[in-house]
Amino acid sequence: YEVRGVRADGTEFVAEARIAVLDLADGPASICFMTDVTARKAAEALLEQTNDELERRVADRTAELRREKAFLAAVLE
């Protein structure tokens, strides 16, 4: 599970919660592990934004090259 919360200092965080059920001699028990993944989530968002920008730039450059190719083909005819 992904959990969002606010720290005592007012900053927001994202945590990953993992729950495990243990089969103990005196009966089942559960344990929850919480991992702060705020930095990882920020890095993933930045990576996605950078990738989107790169794809846009490649598309723009490809369109520009196609226009230049068409222009040169027309001039050389």
Side-chain angles (χ1 to χ4, degrees):
Y1 300 98
E2 193 172 283
V3 179
R4 295 182 181 275
V6 179
R7 294 183 185 92
D9 66 0
T11 59
E12 295 181 1
F13 70 93
V14 181
E16 221 172 53
R18 295 177 185 260
I19 301 170
V21 177
L22 307 173
D23 188 17
L24 303 176
D26 57 344
S30 60
I31 187 167
C32 179
F33 298 94
M34 301 286 286
T35 305
D36 187 340
V37 295
T38 306
R40 187 187 82 203
K41 288 291 191 178
E44 288 172 351
L46 180 59
L47 180 61
E48 185 175 340
Q49 178 184 354
T50 302
N51 188 54
D52 290 346
E53 172 65 15
L54 180 58
E55 286 182 10
R56 185 194 62 76
R57 290 172 65 186
V58 167
D60 289 349
R61 184 66 177 131
T62 300
E64 182 182 340
L65 289 171
R66 285 186 178 137
R67 285 190 301 273
E68 290 175 4
K69 180 181 177 185
F71 172 78
L72 288 173
V75 168
L76 295 175
E77 286 182 355

